[in-house]
Amino acid sequence: MNKKNLFLWSLYDFANSIVLIAFLFYFSQWLVIDQGKPAWWYNLALIISSALFIITAPIVSKRIDAGKSKIKGLRFWSLLAFIGYVVVSLLVMLSGDAEILVTVLYTLSTYAYLVCFLYFTPMLNDLSDGSDRSWKSGIGQGANSIGQVFGILIALPFANGITLFGDPGRAQALLPATLVFGLLSLPMLISYREDKISARTSKIGNSSNIFLLFKEVFSHKALALFFIGYFLFSDALLTFSNNFPLYLEVVHGVTDTTKSILSASILVLAALGALVFGKIADKKGNLKTLKLILSVWCLIFLCMVLITNFKLLVPLFLFAGILYGPVWAISRSLVGELSPQHLTASSYSYYVVAERFATLIGPMVWSVALIAMGEGARGYQSGIISLAVLLVVSIFVLNKIKK
């Protein structure tokens, strides 16, 4: 395993999380709170970008499995995502009344951002073997979490007063984070070298029909069950994560500074948890460790509904951070463990599709709860209860896996 490649791969995970957290944290609040648009506008952008991704991902991953080269595609789609987010950032700063155009461009940029992971995620199998896959996945996930902390710290001064040009406030937070994302992505995009074995053209599993490819991937029962379970628990956790800033604002009246400090603390703990539990999972078993973590998450969601005092919830949020990072580190490793060797990229594409499908269905469930119960504390509590139910069902599905 090339240690330089592992470093570059982790650095890219660090970089892409910077722009992710900036838009998740500040674009959502700019659109809903500053511009006064309903919350479903933001969730609709997630739904449409996810739908586009779900439609095209199997076709792209089929080409990756056939050709094996990943870095060229990663370069192309990273450039598109960077350009798109730069344009969105500039429009937010300069055209406060162009919400429709900005939301459409944000949707397309997010789609390009998602496609990057079809090339990036399968690289894990090139960088590791079965004995240390969760550990190295944890390194990448830890870098991702620390990158989100870095993104928050970069954006906060601009959101709180530093004005480059245009409208002040949250509108200023997006461009700096996007530029840093582009800068820190360059080492991976320029210097990463695929070995000749992984990059050569392969005819194995190169089905001529995308539906036959889908059938072949899901003919492996353990892998199919994992994807179903992953869809459910990622649905729960990602939906809550995407709406966490709005939850803090609406339910607890938390300031942007407090949100940023709390989120940064959670993400640092998520990075630590990804490393520690990645090591534990390599020794005790990925599936067993994952089910234990998800069981604890069910209790965490229940406590969030029952406890209304923000000061009492802070330790719970921090504890949840420790268990957030490992979910993705272990899940990513499990795909590599369960997937057939000749369908690695296709299997990882369905893994990313399952995650994106969660941001297709999850926002719908969340929005229904808010519409039915109102965009206040009761609505958000109802949404959290529905997410806890999804976690319980996901654990039931994972219990069916026999490796």
Side-chain angles (χ1 to χ4, degrees):
M1 190 276 298
N2 189 323
K3 291 183 178 179
K4 178 183 177 182
N5 277 354
L6 178 61
F7 169 76
L8 294 172
W9 184 78
S10 300
L11 180 62
Y12 184 87
D13 222 347
F14 176 90
N16 71 60
S17 67
I18 294 172
V19 72
L20 170 69
I21 193 66
F23 275 83
L24 185 154
F25 213 84
Y26 291 108
F27 179 77
S28 61
Q29 295 185 81
W30 173 83
L31 185 64
V32 175
I33 297 172
D34 295 347
Q35 303 303 112
K37 301 303 177 184
W40 62 261
W41 272 47
Y42 172 64
N43 284 287
L44 183 63
L46 298 178
I47 291 169
I48 295 175
S49 62
S50 296
L52 290 172
F53 176 78
I54 290 166
I55 293 169
T56 57
I59 299 171
V60 176
S61 63
K62 174 192 168 186
R63 295 179 62 184
I64 299 172
D65 270 328
K68 296 301 180 183
S69 179
K70 307 174 188 74
I71 189 62
K72 292 180 180 178
L74 185 63
R75 288 168 182 157
F76 175 77
W77 287 101
S78 295
L79 178 61
L80 284 185
F82 173 74
I83 293 173
Y85 282 134
V86 167
V87 173
V88 171
S89 301
L90 292 173
L91 285 174
V92 166
M93 297 168 75
L94 298 174
S95 302
D97 58 349
E99 296 92 346
I100 295 177
L101 175 61
V102 168
T103 304
V104 170
L105 291 176
Y106 169 71
T107 301
L108 295 176
S109 302
T110 300
Y111 166 71
Y113 175 86
L114 295 175
V115 175
C116 294
F117 289 92
L118 294 178
Y119 298 90
F120 173 78
T121 309
M123 291 176 175
L124 175 62
N125 270 23
D126 300 334
L127 298 169
S128 62
D129 54 44
S131 65
D132 62 359
R133 189 179 290 117
S134 289
W135 165 242
K136 287 172 181 170
S137 180
I139 292 174
Q141 185 61 44
N144 182 286
S145 296
I146 295 299
Q148 292 186 52
V149 175
F150 190 63
I152 290 172
L153 296 178
I154 288 173
L156 182 60
F158 294 92
N160 280 348
I162 297 178
T163 301
L164 298 174
F165 50 86
D167 295 338
R170 295 182 178 110
Q172 296 292 317
L174 302 178
L175 184 61
T178 302
L179 295 178
V180 173
F181 156 64
L183 179 65
L184 294 182
S185 296
L186 287 177
M188 170 74 174
L189 302 179
I190 294 173
S191 301
Y192 186 90
R193 295 291 180 268
E194 293 175 309
D195 60 60
K196 294 181 180 179
I197 295 176
S198 66
R200 72 171 184 266
T201 299
S202 172
K203 296 182 180 180
I204 301 175
N206 187 18
S207 171
S208 60
N209 188 301
I210 196 66
F211 296 104
L212 293 178
L213 179 64
F214 178 89
K215 182 178 179 181
E216 183 175 2
V217 170
F218 281 83
S219 66
H220 300 270
K221 184 177 179 180
L223 184 61
L225 286 170
F226 171 73
F227 281 142
I228 294 171
Y230 178 77
F231 160 71
L232 293 169
F233 68 73
S234 64
D235 188 338
L237 297 181
L238 285 173
T239 299
F240 181 73
S241 174
N242 287 341
N243 288 275
F244 187 58
L246 295 174
Y247 161 78
L248 292 177
E249 173 91 17
V250 174
V251 178
H252 298 290
V254 177
T255 66
D256 279 356
T257 299
T258 302
K259 290 178 202 169
S260 299
I261 295 172
L262 177 60
S263 297
S265 301
I266 290 171
L267 291 167
V268 169
L269 292 172
L272 178 62
L275 292 171
V276 172
F277 280 94
K279 203 70 168 178
I280 292 173
D282 279 330
K283 293 182 178 181
K284 301 297 184 181
N286 287 323
L287 189 59
K288 180 179 179 181
T289 306
L290 178 61
K291 289 189 292 185
L292 176 62
I293 292 172
L294 293 177
S295 298
V296 178
W297 262 104
C298 292
L299 298 177
I300 291 173
F301 275 148
L302 180 61
C303 291
M304 287 182 186
V305 173
L306 297 177
I307 300 173
T308 57
N309 187 308
F310 177 71
K311 291 182 179 179
L312 294 179
L313 282 172
V314 169
L316 183 68
F317 292 146
L318 297 176
F319 175 67
I322 297 174
L323 299 182
Y324 187 77
V327 171
W328 316 113
I330 296 172
S331 296
R332 187 161 57 181
S333 176
L334 260 172
V335 176
E337 178 182 331
L338 297 173
S339 63
Q341 185 175 3
H342 65 286
L343 292 174
T344 300
S346 295
S347 298
Y348 272 116
S349 80
Y350 288 115
Y351 161 78
V352 182
V353 163
E355 179 179 324
R356 288 305 102 194
F357 200 72
T359 59
L360 174 66
I361 300 298
M364 291 182 183
V365 175
W366 189 265
S367 297
V368 167
L370 293 180
I371 292 171
M373 304 302 293
E375 295 199 19
R378 288 187 62 189
Y380 281 88
Q381 289 169 346
S382 299
I384 292 173
I385 291 173
S386 68
L387 302 184
V389 172
L390 289 177
L391 284 182
V392 172
V393 178
S394 74
I395 295 170
F396 175 79
V397 174
L398 295 177
N399 280 330
K400 299 292 183 180
I401 296 177
K402 306 295 181 184
K403 293 189 292 182

